[in-house]
Each structure stands twice: as C-alpha cells, then as structure tokens.
Amino acid sequence: MSRILITGATTPLGKELISRLLTLETTEAILTVARDELDTSRFGNDARLHIEHADLTRERDVRTLMKGPVRDLKIDAVVHGPLHRSALDRGKKVHAMNVESTRSLLMRLQSHPTVRRFIYRSFSEVYKLEDHLPTLIGEDHPLEFSRKAPQRVRDRVESDLSVCALQGMIPCSIAVLRCAEVLAPKSGSQLWDYLQSAVCLRPAGYNPIVNVASVQDIASAICRALESEAQGVFNIPGADTLPLGELVSRFAKQSIPVPGPLIAPLYRLRTGLLRTEFRYDLNRARFHFNGVLDGRRAKEALGYEPRMSALAGHSM
Amino acid sequence: MKGTHPANYDAFGFLPEAMEEALRPARWLHKNYFRVKSYGVEHIPLSGGVIVAANHSGALPMDGVMLGVDLFENTNRKRFPRVVTDHFVARLPYIGVLFARVGAVGGSRRNLDSLLESEELVVVFPEGTSGVGKPYSERYKLQHWHVGHAELALRHKVPVLPVGIIGAEEQWPLLARIGGVRAFGAPYLPIPATPLPLPVRYHIHYGAPIDLIAEFGEGASEDPQLLQKAAERVRDSVQSLLTLGLEQRQGVFR
C-alpha cells in the first residue's frame, strides 16, 4: 500500500508513523487528518504529505473527506486509531470520537473506489483481566463487557467490535491491531500519568506483570500491517514485560503498597485536586492480575516482534 | 515471551533469580525437615516438554514445593519446574506474587500451551484442590482425576511423568474444613490438627514416562472416551507408585 490516510496525525504515534512512512520510497502519498494543527517541519515539508482538517465525529466531514481528498489522491489504505486521550471526559462527544468516527469511516468504505486496506489501531484495554483467565492474552480472550466498565473501556470495545463485525463484508481487507499500552506522554497512557507522581500507590500484596510498548514498536507494527494482506485481529505486545513495582522503580518513583480499598479514594482526591489523568477504576484489574498480550499471531502473520524498549533512559 | 529488561521476567512473572532465593528455605525443608528420599529419578527427562502428574494432599500444597525442589535438584538444577496452580492463588495477596516469581502458573489452557511450546517441565496435580482438602481417612485414595493433563500431553505430543508422593498425606491432618468462607476465592478454609506440618518423611517415586500418543493415537485428544482412558492410564500409574511406596515405607517418620 503506497497511498495512505492516517487519522490522529497529531498524536506521538501518528507523527512517528508519518516519519516512518516518509522514509520509504514506496510511499507515494500520505493524507493526514487532524483537528489540531500539525507541524510539518519535522517531516521536511515533504511534498508527499497532505494535510486535511476535519472533524471525524461529524458525518458530513467524513463524507467530504472520503469523496474528496481520499478519492482524488487515490488513497488505498486507511490507518485509523480513534483516541480521546483524556480519561476524565465522558459523554456523547467522547463516544462520538471513540466510536462514531470509526463507524462513519467504515460506512464510507463500503463502496469506496480506491481504499482496499483498513488498519484499525485498537487497545489491550478491550480485554478482560481476571484471576481465572489466562495470563497470556490471545486474540480469543474474553472482552471487557462488564456493565461496570468505565465509558473509556466500553467505547474501545464497541469500536473494536464494530470493525471486527465488518470483516469480509466490505471490499477492504481489515486488520485490527490490539496494541499494548504505549508508555509515552500525550498518548493517553494511564501508566504514564500514574508514573508522573513522586509517590505511586499500588495494592498491598500484589505486584502484577505489565507489558508496555514504545511508540516506535507500535508504528512498526502498523507499517507491517500495511505491507501485509493479512486479515483479522492481531495482538501487538511491547518489548517491556515487568512487575508494576519495578516499573515504578525504573522511573525513580516511590512505590507504596496500600490496602486496596484505600487506593481508589486517594487517587480520586488526587484527580480532583490536580486534575491528573490517572483513574484507578480503569486500572484496578491490571493492578492485581498479570496480563500480557500473546504476540505469536502478529509474529507469524505480520512478521512483527517488539524490539524497542519504552523504558530507554529509565534504568534501575 | 521474555522482556528486554535486565531482570528477565516472563509473561507469568517468573524470575529465575527469585526462584534461586526461594529455593534456600525450600531446600532446607527438603533436606532437613521432610528429609525427602527420591526413587526413579533417572526417569525425569532432562530436556523437552513434559507433564509431571502427581497425587496432591496435605492441607497446604507443601507437596508441590517439595516436588518442585526435588525436580530441580535432580535435573542438574537446569530445569525450573512450572507448577500449575488453581486460579484463586493469583488472588491471594503476597502468596500469589511469591508463587508467580518462583514459576507457578494459573491452570489456563493458553498458559500451559505456551509453556509446553517452550519445552518446559510442567507439574500438574490432576486431583486439584479436592486432593489437598481430603480428610485423613481418605489418605492415598486418589480423588476425582481431571483429564486436562492427558489432553495437553496428547495435543503437544509430550510424555507424562507419573509421580507418587508418600508422606504428604500425613503431614498435616485436617480437623475440619470450613466451606463458604471463600476468602480471596479459596474453596475452603482448612483447620489443621497441629499448628505446623508434622516432620514426616517424604518419599517421591518417579515412574517411567508414559507416551500417551503411542498408546492411544494422535486423535485421542478429540475423543472424550479415549481421553478419559488416557487420564485413567496416568491415574493407574500414579496409584501403582503410591501402592509400591506405601509397601516399601517403614513408618511415617522414617
């Protein structure tokens, strides 16, 4: 695929992806869509890069985009990763960004003349984590359908399944990449925000294994999915597998074990006072139980293996 | 899947260095407290995937610890046994973390598939928690024998090493077990007759590895009846080792 539409271009992942694709001679055109301004200087003002400002939560904008620049530039692949970064926001607008934008895009792809590949960047958060479930999370692992799940999680599950449901039903090959959490600023990472405190609380008696990814690895996985015709769901693990307590130590923070029931109110207080993003209710399960994405399918079908640590510069 | 991190944890939280640390007290118990004697250690495969199937007993799973130490010591300290635990263990504060660091793994199929594909030595107790919680009067009578280990062995084409553990069934007689408490998901709360396990002598008997594929055929994992027979084959082998071990034993503490 040589003509690519990328949504969410202003995120660290979007920028990394654009940089990577522009280094390839086979890339003929990149169309980016962003609500915010994108600084193109880091891309050397490459003529292959085209920028559109559109609000994908608006049906009219999506239609204009797909019938206009996408068709005119003969875009053949779409990389879409809906992400409302703030974990504090909720409501219809957030849902529109997380879910409806994906649906609108998919609807336009059903009869699009040029697009033949759809890469959807999903999240490991869609998987349920419980003591009786496998530690190693395969693509067939149960999803988090709990009614108690926060909107952020429910939206991600709904959006993921909306894409999965259309596999084989539209004239596009679809790859859903369920990616490990990217440990980087401005990427919506809960763990990143958690690690910004001088003191990090964790449930006493538990020190679960977490797996985190670098922006570079996720961008690499997307590039490999673009090169491939493989369809289906693929788990994309990161290179770093370590206990939560050790992750905290790597960031030179103090890890304090606290009785479980006290953590949620303490973090709610922190959020209320400092307007920080970390929400314990979003992370309760993974702060108790091990859960690591099994990347064997991505390795076999896409040739993806995590290589770049997200912890570079954070040595013990 | 290994991390790129200096301390090399696997996806299950196993850390070989932690295993070495934990082995110190466990080795002391193995040598001085339970004075473990092993028989048939030449049957333990030194390489390749293998499922070790043993009887289970003793109020607390001390038999798993002693068997783990014994396997490690008798494989030139090269094979870290991966003991399969019930799911509730992950929920237990501190204990769940300790178990994970020394190589214990929750008994989910994907977890075990991954371990066997990595040619690990996987230790299972097909009786499950009903073995640990059986009353004293039921000692050395194998409880309901689950078939999962046989299915795994057939699917992964790995041998099953039957093991009979003598001694653990008397180590900590239960006065009662309180059901319905379900603290952290544990099936019951054991009330032992003594404050500490008794210093019984363990005798661990290893049988010859069983090639279930050779005996039951490749498709046996898909046939419920053959699968049941394969599991019974392992069960009979463990029961034979127990009978032999009890005949040879000269006393609970000797």
Side-chain angles (χ1 to χ4, degrees), chain B:
Chain B
M1 182 195 306
K2 302 276 184 187
T4 56
H5 179 267
N8 217 353
Y9 293 91
D10 74 1
F12 307 103
F14 173 51
L15 182 66
E17 293 87 340
M19 175 75 164
E20 297 279 2
E21 284 290 313
L23 269 174
R24 278 185 214 158
R27 208 178 269 142
W28 184 87
L29 288 170
H30 181 271
K31 188 179 173 190
N32 300 308
Y33 195 80
F34 293 116
R35 296 154 291 131
V36 179
K37 276 190 177 177
S38 343
Y39 310 84
V41 293
E42 68 278 7
H43 293 310
I44 306 171
L46 295 176
S47 61
V50 57
I51 294 175
V52 178
N55 57 312
H56 204 16
S57 58
L60 284 182
M62 200 57 82
D63 51 354
V65 179
M66 291 303 106
L67 179 58
V69 174
D70 207 57
L71 285 163
F72 184 63
E73 294 292 326
N74 286 304
T75 51
N76 303 325
R77 301 188 179 185
K78 285 179 182 161
R79 303 207 75 174
F80 292 103
R82 308 302 300 265
V83 179
V84 178
T85 62
D86 207 327
H87 301 299
F88 74 86
V89 172
R91 249 198 240 181
L92 301 172
Y94 302 104
I95 294 168
V97 177
L98 174 68
F99 273 46
R101 294 296 173 272
V102 299
V105 177
S108 304
R109 177 173 292 188
R110 185 172 284 271
N111 290 351
L112 302 186
D113 283 344
S114 164
L115 290 177
L116 290 171
E117 281 167 21
S118 309
E119 302 194 337
E120 299 267 13
L121 190 150
V122 176
V123 180
V124 297
F125 296 99
E127 292 171 274
T129 48
S130 56
V132 186
K134 65 187 161 195
Y136 191 70
S137 57
E138 294 282 310
R139 64 192 182 282
Y140 300 112
K141 289 179 188 165
L142 294 176
Q143 304 295 299
H144 174 65
W145 195 256
H146 296 276
V147 300
H149 65 291
E151 187 182 352
L152 275 171
L154 287 160
R155 281 201 297 114
H156 289 274
K157 301 181 174 62
V158 296
V160 179
L161 183 75
V163 178
I165 302 175
I166 305 286
E169 311 244 355
E170 289 101 352
Q171 74 179 9
W172 220 357
L174 277 185
L175 273 185
R177 41 189 254 184
I178 302 174
V181 178
R182 303 200 72 83
F184 299 103
Y188 59 88
L189 186 67
I191 307 293
T194 56
L196 287 173
L198 300 171
V200 297
R201 186 189 279 277
Y202 269 57
H203 301 266
I204 300 181
H205 293 261
Y206 298 96
I210 304 167
D211 184 351
L212 292 177
I213 290 279
E215 293 187 27
F216 296 93
E218 289 210 2
S221 64
E222 303 297 324
D223 183 331
Q225 286 183 330
L226 279 179
L227 194 58
Q228 188 64 42
K229 282 183 181 168
E232 280 169 16
R233 165 76 176 88
V234 178
R235 186 184 198 275
D236 291 345
S237 187
V238 172
Q239 187 66 67
S240 303
L241 290 166
L242 289 176
T243 307
L244 175 76
L246 287 170
E247 280 170 11
Q248 289 179 351
R249 186 170 71 163
Q250 293 172 339
V252 173
F253 297 98
R254 298 174 68 189

Side-chain angles (χ1 to χ4, degrees), chain A residues 131-136 138 140 204-207 209 239-240 242-243 246 250 289-290 293-294 296, chain B residues 1 3-7 9-13 87 90-91 93-94 97 101 108 110-111 114 117 184:
Chain A
D131 58 342
H132 68 277
L133 294 173
T135 302
L136 207 52
D140 56 351
Y206 297 91
N207 194 10
I209 293 289
D240 301 292
L242 71 173
E246 202 156 320
R250 294 286 290 268
F289 306 122
N290 299 337
L293 294 178
D294 183 352
R296 280 179 290 182
Chain B
M1 182 195 306
T4 56
H5 179 267
Y9 293 91
D10 74 1
F12 307 103
H87 301 299
R91 249 198 240 181
Y94 302 104
V97 177
R101 294 296 173 272
S108 304
R110 185 172 284 271
N111 290 351
S114 164
E117 281 167 21
F184 299 103

Side-chain angles (χ1 to χ4, degrees), chain A residues 17-27 30 46 48:
Chain A
L17 189 57
I18 293 168
S19 297
R20 250 168 209 263
L21 289 170
L22 287 175
T23 61
L24 304 175
E25 286 181 6
T26 50
T27 303
I30 296 177
D46 195 305
R48 292 174 295 170

Side-chain angles (χ1 to χ4, degrees), chain A residues 98-263:
Chain A
N98 288 340
V99 182
E100 298 306 334
S101 64
T102 307
R103 283 217 181 100
S104 301
L105 265 177
L106 287 167
M107 200 170 75
R108 294 291 151 197
L109 289 181
Q110 290 185 17
S111 56
H112 200 276
T114 63
V115 176
R116 291 294 169 263
R117 181 84 168 140
F118 186 75
I119 312 292
Y120 177 75
R121 185 259 171 130
S122 184
F123 303 86
S124 57
E125 285 168 285
V126 300
Y127 290 118
K128 182 178 265 191
L129 270 186
E130 281 183 6
D131 58 342
H132 68 277
L133 294 173
T135 302
L136 207 52
I137 297 173
E139 285 81 1
D140 56 351
H141 191 92
L143 300 179
E144 180 53 272
F145 283 114
S146 165
R147 280 194 307 168
K148 290 180 184 170
Q151 183 186 338
R152 179 182 159 109
V153 175
R154 279 186 281 117
D155 280 359
R156 277 159 170 67
V157 173
E158 186 180 351
S159 187
D160 181 294
L161 290 182
S162 299
V163 180
C164 289
L166 283 181
Q167 297 199 52
M169 292 172 66
I170 59 174
C172 256
S173 65
I174 296 177
V176 176
L177 309 183
R178 291 180 181 155
C179 304
E181 179 165 333
V182 172
L183 194 64
K186 297 179 183 172
S187 61
S189 166
Q190 281 283 290
L191 280 178
W192 180 266
D193 189 67
Y194 170 73
L195 293 166
Q196 299 315 299
S197 299
V199 172
C200 301
L201 309 179
R202 62 183 175 84
Y206 297 91
N207 194 10
I209 293 289
V210 293
N211 176 256
V212 290
S214 61
V215 171
Q216 291 86 346
D217 270 346
I218 302 300
S220 156
I222 293 172
C223 287
R224 285 181 178 275
L226 281 167
E227 291 164 8
S228 164
E229 281 295 310
Q231 293 203 69
V233 180
F234 303 92
N235 284 341
I236 307 295
D240 301 292
T241 301
L242 71 173
L244 182 64
E246 202 156 320
L247 180 65
V248 174
S249 304
R250 294 286 290 268
F251 275 72
K253 308 292 181 181
Q254 189 71 36
S255 168
I256 298 185
V258 173
L262 291 178
I263 301 184

